[in-house]
Amino acid sequence: MLSNERVAWFNGEFMPESQVRIPFRDSSWVFGDGCFDMTRTFGHRLFKVKEHVARLYRSLRYLRIDPGIAPERMCQLTEELFERNRHLLGDDDDLWVGQRISRGVRMVPGDNLEHHGPNVVLECMPLPLEQRAKMFKHGIRVVVPSQRRVPPDSLTPRAKTHNYLNLVLADQEVRSLDPEAWALLLDVNGNLCEGLGSNIFVVKDGEILTPREQFVLPGVSRQTVIDLAHEEGLPLREADIDLYDAYNAEEAFITSTSICLCPVTRLNGADIGPEGQVWGPITRRLADAYARLVDHDFVGQYLRRYVDGMEARPF
Amino acid sequence: MLSNERVAWFNGEFMPESQVRIPFRDSSWVFGDGCFDMTRTFGHRLFKVKEHVARLYRSLRYLRIDPGIAPERMCQLTEELFERNRHLLGDDDDLWVGQRISRGVRMVPGDNLEHHGPNVVLECMPLPLEQRAKMFKHGIRVVVPSQRRVPPDSLTPRAKTHNYLNLVLADQEVRSLDPEAWALLLDVNGNLCEGLGSNIFVVKDGEILTPREQFVLPGVSRQTVIDLAHEEGLPLREADIDLYDAYNAEEAFITSTSICLCPVTRLNGADIGPEGQVWGPITRRLADAYARLVDHDFVGQYLRRYVDGMEARPF
Amino acid sequence: MLSNERVAWFNGEFMPESQVRIPFRDSSWVFGDGCFDMTRTFGHRLFKVKEHVARLYRSLRYLRIDPGIAPERMCQLTEELFERNRHLLGDDDDLWVGQRISRGVRMVPGDNLEHHGPNVVLECMPLPLEQRAKMFKHGIRVVVPSQRRVPPDSLTPRAKTHNYLNLVLADQEVRSLDPEAWALLLDVNGNLCEGLGSNIFVVKDGEILTPREQFVLPGVSRQTVIDLAHEEGLPLREADIDLYDAYNAEEAFITSTSICLCPVTRLNGADIGPEGQVWGPITRRLADAYARLVDHDFVGQYLRRYVDGMEARPF
Amino acid sequence: MLSNERVAWFNGEFMPESQVRIPFRDSSWVFGDGCFDMTRTFGHRLFKVKEHVARLYRSLRYLRIDPGIAPERMCQLTEELFERNRHLLGDDDDLWVGQRISRGVRMVPGDNLEHHGPNVVLECMPLPLEQRAKMFKHGIRVVVPSQRRVPPDSLTPRAKTHNYLNLVLADQEVRSLDPEAWALLLDVNGNLCEGLGSNIFVVKDGEILTPREQFVLPGVSRQTVIDLAHEEGLPLREADIDLYDAYNAEEAFITSTSICLCPVTRLNGADIGPEGQVWGPITRRLADAYARLVDHDFVGQYLRRYVDGMEARPF
Amino acid sequence: MLSNERVAWFNGEFMPESQVRIPFRDSSWVFGDGCFDMTRTFGHRLFKVKEHVARLYRSLRYLRIDPGIAPERMCQLTEELFERNRHLLGDDDDLWVGQRISRGVRMVPGDNLEHHGPNVVLECMPLPLEQRAKMFKHGIRVVVPSQRRVPPDSLTPRAKTHNYLNLVLADQEVRSLDPEAWALLLDVNGNLCEGLGSNIFVVKDGEILTPREQFVLPGVSRQTVIDLAHEEGLPLREADIDLYDAYNAEEAFITSTSICLCPVTRLNGADIGPEGQVWGPITRRLADAYARLVDHDFVGQYLRRYVDGMEARPF
Amino acid sequence: MLSNERVAWFNGEFMPESQVRIPFRDSSWVFGDGCFDMTRTFGHRLFKVKEHVARLYRSLRYLRIDPGIAPERMCQLTEELFERNRHLLGDDDDLWVGQRISRGVRMVPGDNLEHHGPNVVLECMPLPLEQRAKMFKHGIRVVVPSQRRVPPDSLTPRAKTHNYLNLVLADQEVRSLDPEAWALLLDVNGNLCEGLGSNIFVVKDGEILTPREQFVLPGVSRQTVIDLAHEEGLPLREADIDLYDAYNAEEAFITSTSICLCPVTRLNGADIGPEGQVWGPITRRLADAYARLVDHDFVGQYLRRYVDGMEARPF
């Protein structure tokens, strides 16, 4: 009989999520010394697992952590995890599915630890479709916080590590000013950079621009949009983008694993993008192409949750 | 009957350490979104608990985390924790005793979590006296790694957070070049900054210098040395210190909670400090004053573990 | 008979304000190529005219503008201007009184301009006591905008020039997020800097701190507070202050010519300063000393305008 | 009967220039809080009005100023202004024709202002053909001043604002060392940037280089040269250019609205460009193409004013 | 009869090396105020003399030194020098052949110096084939030192000057940690830059990357690799490369005049490049193409010197 | 019989200067890999030899060069050198006397070098009293060049190394604009820094300011002025000084070994310092105190060379 508790994979075994408990001396709990990756399902089908796992192993290499599992096996386990949880999904629901790896417990003098190597967790989580529905209806409000994104020569933003306080605090700050807004950090040079798990794109003079990879997490959704633009014959370029570009953009949108892409309509309190509209033509076209690629109307999936007067609750 | 397993305090209860397990969706495991503080005992007596807890609450305020416990209560619990573990200590051993607080578990849509507020752990841990004995005999070798310390306008180094990857990776790098060396990062301006849990001091032209607080964790041991220097009538100043200062220093030493203070004898492969000696006169005098203050010969405690030919194993 | 229109002084003559009109090719209109200074009256008495005029001449020297008027004469004219407008003041009202100087009109080939040297205006303006009353009741909300203050090696913030767009746009941005908030810019190093016409102070560990002069306008009110702290025996220091300092400050306040000093109660959406209070003890003590110095209850003057439910309208 | 005074357009009306007078509390006079744009005529024909007006509206959007006039109307008014002044032009003369917009007068408490919205001026001005004639004969001497160009994250150089003190003071400094020299500022990274109203180009290894748009005003003449190079099959690239490039350049030239393009022959006191010649082959070819495009021998127009021994008087 | 002492060319004459002595007040001895260039022979044939001499004259122009010799003559003298020393070369040996030019002796008041203009030396030197043999067998270990490369706006790295202390000290530091390792400095932005006389390349996602020319000496070997990649149809791009790129690179190699190109196998103590192999496929392919271009098996020439257990002695 | 050629000391022997010849492969000739120090005589008496030699050994330690001579011996040799050259001095003349040390010749494979360790030269040189006379009569004109001083984290300016190209090129640039002007570089933060062998001081609001030691050579003359100010009861502080400070300074002067201290009267083409006077009261007072300290009227010594209409020829 199938349980109605989600299962996770933890150091070699599938088990109910509530049983996945981390020793408190784990390096990721005490130092954020770990990394992760995360894909989503579209209509109950996993998306680009291989690409996400490849990025996970680049993060691991940067951190000098050997997870003791080959990438191919990591992909298989990810898929198996999803299969084991699939029966819990509502028809119009979908999941995040991801991997998390810490360096493991630091040895304590005199201790006889059963396990001190990497702690590996594979998990899945329902997408917050309802909480984000309003953004697809009215667009995202974005605010630049006071913090600059950690510079690459301190800690690369390209590794998806468990050191995300810089981004978390930016979000805290922005939401205490506007509870529905998203934080968009500038990089060390004052260019548009990224938010917590999100990449930014602007359309300027008919060209699609996104920050250079050196300063941001190279999102898989970001790459998907880059590829789709190429296929659609839309010019797209990585560039140093600043607020002058953004205020004068014809359109702007955000990508992330869960939202795919969603329009931005306000930046630092100023309206940006197409006058009086949420979806500009390029954003719309890329969203349609994205939906075709994943064979799933992700925009509709969000909008079906929307009810007048509801608030966006950034998850 | 007293157990021979150490106990910790976890969200309201004392329990054996092995039972302290963190849900894997805790913000500190996934984002390093938490902070900590840590003191040590000297001859089985706790040191400056109040100062450490005060710093903990400054970190919490910066992170906008409310732990739900008043500072005074945090001090009491820390002391009680130590009392409950005291019987496990050998005569010449001592402990780290500290607090760790995460923002808590991020809610998952549809989940019914029993506890999602801050996760609070109080813990103690034997000091790695043996592993560090060689440093007190021969001095510490210090190497500047390739990373610059995360700049204050990205994430302040003054809060003792769980986002320490920048420091952890620096240590990894340096130890892969010299397994006994400690990493000393430069700050964003190229000045001497700090290592993982350690502060640096140099003696130059008879004056003791240490990096300005803005760029480092304001260590309690660092402050103790500052106060002792004042009492001893030794001139001491916070300053921008660079490698020219360090190479020409008469002496250099490191402070941390566990080692108190310990001489540095080599920097980037060059001998520094007093020629042919490990302990310079100022370092010695401050160590003696420190020992008097804590009424405990901490240097002797380390040196008693030293055996010829043993290696330093940075913990 | 006395007119009920305010008069100004323009290039040698007193005249009604409505007659002071600047040629549109004036360098200050087309380049912001000019500078100004501004004091206020307290109970119809001018405050530190000489100090303001001295700063004006430092600005002029930096701009390489010769106003053609000696500083002493500038002081006399300022006082005369006030006398000529005094009869228009209500009993509980006060004025800004200041000087503005542009480099003058750029010559146009072939033109025969009557006047192309510096354009000099002396003016006065009623203080916006009502608009700012709420701030004295409830404290000021401060938000860090996306712009960094123009760095000193591009254009010094110490000269009070007519190039204030950097500050104006910061204010625009912050007020579009929170109409009652004030912008506080960070400097090029990420330290607290200044807002449009305002300086910031924080009280930390019993010590009063304010940003180093190199990065801010050295406000006359700022200097007055520095002098008063000295007289009151309160420790005060110019320092590099960052957001960690501010979030952990015991108190914070802003100074400007018109508000003198007023408490800050919220920074980037977080409460700062004394818990549950608007006025901390140090801020209160300095305000009292300020009032004694100027022999005028400026706080009461503002608070008398306050009506429940009114909004702060940053002027 | 036609007047022999130039007319301007001011807030809705055409009037003699001498009647266009700005209230002294206008935001652009007191803060430089406004922006402008400017084209020129070639043989009494306006050049790229639409492109200039489009840039003006990008500046306005960045400043969050709504001028209350549609761009199309702004173009018409610009053309009408020129027509109304055309009869004053000598056969071999030409005009600057431009628009200037301020945010308007800041309200004064209690005042009843007739007009406090944006102040809009359209104006024209004879080109200083004689003053610049020597530059076309002997080339321009360029000097790097002590100031760095204001960085984009303080205030974008791409908006043509009324905050030009950084550029004005650079010019003052350079001309006090060499009255005929032009200032060329470096950007915040030490790369060649721009001067007051001018863009720089160098020819290096057969390729034409100009600073990246992010750091400079995207001059319409600059864009014209970019387009012409493309049409002529000459390789051209936006790049980070530094002084090493410039000293080793085969050619260098400056573009601006009034001079179109003019060779640079000396940089920081060193000869640069083609040995013993003013005009290098690429500069000459682009100038010829420019003249064909505008159907006007602008170089000849300048050179006809040249008289031996005359000085360049930078306008 | 041929001498068995090498000859050099000094200020107009060929003479035995031991007779080339520089006055101690020469600007290059006291200020490093000079520059140089250096090619090598392959199988007793000179390589790209013209390209090296062209770069030398770009350095001279940047330094504002006129050597008093035309570039063509400099090439002829270089070739003649080699011919005069050829008889000293062993069959499997080769030479560095280069030019060095100082600004000359600073005049001393009252002195009557015979020669105070530029001092020009042309020299050749046997390649250290044996000392570098191990690197071709086992790959190069590279370490990032504490120094950042001198930024271009202080002194361009593109001129091959006699001011190499920044690079020399980096080498000293790295070799005191690992006597066989090479220093690779980061630039002012924290990107990979260059070492003493060496350029770095990484292969990432099938693309060859090398730091942008602005921050490095544009090595002739570097350019040769760029050209060969182009001919081989291998994608190659100048880019901002950081340590994340390097740790995740498929391959990495270094180029210099003497070693041409040689694989890097370790960076900051971490293995990089193809697992368990010294030569990756792209590096091998480029080395083969290089060998074909110069018609000389330079790798074999080095490897023939290799003896088990020998150490690399960076020259 | 005494020779009328000056003698120098070279690697162990005194010899005529013309015989001191450096092998062209010496590290200081090819890399500027060496350092020096230099004092002067006052009325035929050496000044602070010990302080200069102490600084020399700090430079050597930073460069990791062991000269093989103890500091005390270096002082003796310096004095002996002076004695051996004293008879060549005119009554009103004086000398520079200094030491120069290179790392030595890099070994060439297969070579049998007689000497490859450090090359050490002690030398003396007549002061250019005549060339600098005009500066004492009319003050020094100072110009900020385009280069920024090399930052301390690339190569410390505190070591007096043979890598002075950054300063030499600054001088070249400034003198090609104004043959009598001195270059004053800004540091990496845009603050006043230093020139080739000279330190800057400004007097502001009655306080003497000089750049912080971290960014400049800590000149012995600079330290002498600091000490004299202290003795005279004049407030003096190391500080970040920028151009705003300098333009508004009451006085400014330069110190160097040869000139001791000399007033600055013009900065970037603007008059600075006391109106209409060369020597301000503080500068004069310090010069007098300096003269008393060295028991020598150094100002008079320079002024006696001055002839109307002569030019300053910066040496």
Side-chain angles (χ1 to χ4, degrees), chain F residues 101-116:
Chain F
I101 298 165
S102 74
R103 196 180 303 275
V105 172
R106 299 211 134 197
M107 290 287 284
V108 178
D111 276 18
N112 197 351
L113 287 173
E114 66 205 78
H115 179 90
H116 74 272

Side-chain angles (χ1 to χ4, degrees), chain D residues 261-282:
Chain D
L261 88 174
C262 182
V264 172
T265 48
R266 219 168 156 80
L267 172 61
N268 291 333
D271 291 334
I272 63 167
E275 210 176 320
Q277 280 180 280
V278 172
W279 292 81
I282 303 279

Side-chain angles (χ1 to χ4, degrees), chain A residues 45-62:
Chain A
R45 291 179 310 276
L46 279 165
F47 182 62
K48 293 194 173 175
V49 173
K50 206 171 150 190
E51 283 84 347
H52 279 280
V53 167
R55 187 176 62 183
L56 176 68
Y57 278 77
R58 287 194 295 272
S59 298
L60 286 164
R61 196 170 177 110
Y62 178 78

Side-chain angles (χ1 to χ4, degrees), chain E residues 91-302:
Chain E
D91 273 3
D92 200 23
D93 289 338
D94 269 304
L95 289 176
W96 270 312
V97 186
Q99 312 82 24
R100 295 186 178 278
I101 298 164
S102 73
R103 196 180 305 274
V105 171
R106 300 209 134 198
M107 290 289 283
V108 178
D111 277 19
N112 196 350
L113 288 172
E114 65 204 80
H115 179 89
H116 73 272
N119 280 307
V120 183
V121 174
L122 277 64
E123 57 154 331
C124 54
M125 205 163 28
L127 291 177
L129 298 167
E130 190 176 315
Q131 290 88 333
R132 294 181 172 174
K134 189 180 175 189
M135 298 189 279
F136 282 84
K137 186 73 180 179
H138 293 295
I140 298 177
R141 291 199 296 276
V142 157
V143 174
V144 171
S146 62
Q147 299 90 341
R148 293 283 167 94
R149 186 77 183 98
V150 171
D153 67 341
S154 291
L155 186 67
T156 184
R158 289 197 269 175
K160 200 169 174 69
T161 76
H162 281 173
N163 260 232
Y164 263 22
L165 253 182
N166 170 241
L167 297 164
V168 167
L169 294 180
D171 246 36
Q172 295 262 334
E173 176 179 320
V174 162
R175 284 169 191 177
S176 66
L177 295 169
D178 175 353
E180 295 189 336
W182 282 40
L184 172 64
L185 289 86
L186 302 184
D187 69 23
V188 77
N189 298 313
N191 293 315
L192 301 194
C193 188
E194 63 179 347
L196 179 55
S198 63
N199 291 113
I200 182 82
F201 288 74
V202 302
V203 183
K204 183 95 186 296
D205 303 326
E207 195 182 28
I208 309 169
L209 303 173
T210 196
R212 286 198 288 139
E213 185 191 316
Q214 189 174 28
F215 298 101
V216 300
L217 185 81
V220 173
S221 312
R222 173 182 176 274
Q223 189 59 47
T224 301
V225 164
I226 292 172
D227 295 343
L228 289 172
H230 188 68
E231 286 165 24
E232 296 283 315
L234 298 168
L236 186 148
R237 194 163 45 94
E238 291 190 20
D240 292 332
I241 309 168
D242 62 26
L243 288 166
Y244 174 85
D245 292 304
Y247 289 129
N248 277 295
E250 293 114 46
E251 307 178 31
F253 58 89
I254 268 178
T255 62
S256 87
T257 293
S258 52
I259 65 170
C260 304
L261 87 175
C262 183
V264 172
T265 49
R266 220 169 155 79
L267 172 60
N268 291 334
D271 292 334
I272 63 166
E275 210 177 319
Q277 279 181 281
V278 172
W279 292 82
I282 303 279
T283 309
R284 171 66 71 196
R285 187 162 156 198
L286 287 165
D288 290 348
Y290 208 116
R292 281 195 304 275
L293 176 75
V294 299
D295 193 14
H296 181 77
D297 175 17
F298 67 92
V299 176
Q301 188 181 29
Y302 278 105

